[in-house]
Amino acid sequence: MSIHNPDIKRVTTHTIQELKSRGEKISALTAYDYSMAGVVDAAGVELILVGDSASNVMAGHQTTLPITLDQMIYHASSVVRAVKRALVVVDLPFGSYQGNSEEALRSAIRIMKESGAHAVKMEGGEEIRESIVRILSAGVPVMGHLGLTPQSIYKFGTYAVRAKEEAEAQKLIDDAVMLQEVGCFGMVLEKIPSTLTKQVSEKLTIPTIGIGAGPYADGQILVLHDLLGITKEFKPRFLRRYADLHTIMTEAIAHYVDDVKTAEFPNEKEAY
Ligand code: KIV
């Protein structure tokens, strides 16, 4: 865990709630390792998600399904060691909470104890209600995740926009209200129509954090490597790239290779 510094006011679940109450948008990003988490935190992001997207971004899997609880704890503890200010939320990975509420609680407790993170995130609504309630009653803050829930990709069969039809939209609203009623401190809304995000965000007092959910969410989240342009192939319409680090990094490394080949590196000043 990071060392307490009285000069830095930590972001808590209450801060996140206050931001919504005063109409200030919440910034959130993923991080999976110590070095990047330090940069994200220093840049002023309020909520850092150790997402199970680590399965794609860090490990190169096609889906989020393969990542394990042990691997999530490894990523989360690396992030926690770097973060001085942001709230650190960790995804409960696929298979660590769907079985029953006892298993869900055990998984959440392992994350909190072994990583030092501040909250967990879980995908789903009514079907995982009992597990959410059990984790909350152990004093662990829970963030919900509705809309496109990547852990269910093989059920959906596609990463297309969710809840366009009336019945699915109504279920999402009901699930969002349930998550608030049982005590979740916020929720991610992924890849749903803007109008639905607006409706849910106005109905709830807890904040919504959108990804591909339009401008009406109370906050926004992106996968860090997508925002920085490190990943190249992933080009959904909702993604804004703020840098082209793939090109910058490739050029820098190619330059290094060149310098080594031509014996330009190291020079005399770089030698002992
Ligand atoms: O795992 C993840 O990165 C996420 C975000 C896309 C919200 O769940």
Side-chain angles (χ1 to χ4, degrees), residues 175-220:
D175 281 341
V177 170
M178 180 279 290
L179 292 175
Q180 171 167 289
E181 277 173 359
V182 298
C184 290
F185 73 88
M187 72 193 67
V188 166
L189 297 177
E190 181 163 354
K191 233 171 165 189
I192 60 170
S194 286
T195 47
L196 181 57
T197 305
K198 186 169 192 287
Q199 214 183 331
V200 173
S201 305
E202 285 175 359
K203 200 174 179 67
L204 300 182
T205 55
I206 60 169
T208 59
I209 309 290
I211 175 163
Y216 302 112
D218 301 305
Q220 297 292 329

Side-chain angles (χ1 to χ4, degrees), residues 28-32 49-57 64 72 91 121 123 143-145 148-151 188-190 209-211 221-224 226 238:
L29 267 182
T30 64
Y32 318 102
L49 173 70
V50 184
D52 58 0
S53 50
S55 178
N56 311 93
V57 176
T64 58
M72 287 304 295
D91 266 332
K121 175 164 83 59
E123 294 184 5
M143 187 172 201
H145 185 152
L148 177 65
T149 46
Q151 292 178 10
V188 166
L189 297 177
E190 181 163 354
I209 309 290
I211 175 163
I221 185 162
L222 286 174
V223 168
L224 177 65
D226 296 338
F238 69 78

Side-chain angles (χ1 to χ4, degrees), residues 16-26 217-218:
I16 299 291
Q17 177 67 67
E18 279 163 25
L19 291 174
K20 168 153 183 161
S21 305
R22 62 171 191 256
E24 183 175 334
K25 296 278 188 184
I26 299 156
D218 301 305

Side-chain angles (χ1 to χ4, degrees), residues 5 14 33 41 122 126 161 165 171 185 200 241 255:
N5 178 344
H14 298 281
D33 66 22
D41 190 45
M122 299 162 74
E126 192 55 43
V161 177
E165 307 301 329
K171 172 165 168 31
F185 73 88
V200 173
R241 290 189 200 281
H255 193 168

Side-chain angles (χ1 to χ4, degrees), residues 47-112:
L47 186 154
I48 295 180
L49 173 70
V50 184
D52 58 0
S53 50
S55 178
N56 311 93
V57 176
M58 303 302 285
H61 292 297
Q62 289 291 316
T63 72
T64 58
L65 275 66
I67 200 160
T68 65
L69 186 57
D70 284 336
Q71 288 165 342
M72 287 304 295
I73 290 169
Y74 167 77
H75 287 297
S77 56
S78 306
V79 167
V80 166
R81 280 192 286 276
V83 172
K84 297 186 171 69
R85 176 177 173 267
L87 181 75
V88 179
V89 182
V90 183
D91 266 332
L92 279 182
F94 177 68
S96 72
Y97 63 100
Q98 289 90 348
N100 58 58
S101 64
E102 198 181 316
E103 183 188 27
L105 177 60
R106 210 176 311 119
S107 302
I109 285 178
R110 276 202 63 203
I111 287 188
M112 300 300 282

Side-chain angles (χ1 to χ4, degrees), residues 229-230 232 244-257:
I230 297 175
K232 289 293 265 185
D244 181 6
L245 285 201
H246 192 280
T247 304
I248 292 171
M249 288 161 71
T250 308
E251 284 176 3
I253 295 164
H255 193 168
Y256 163 76
V257 171

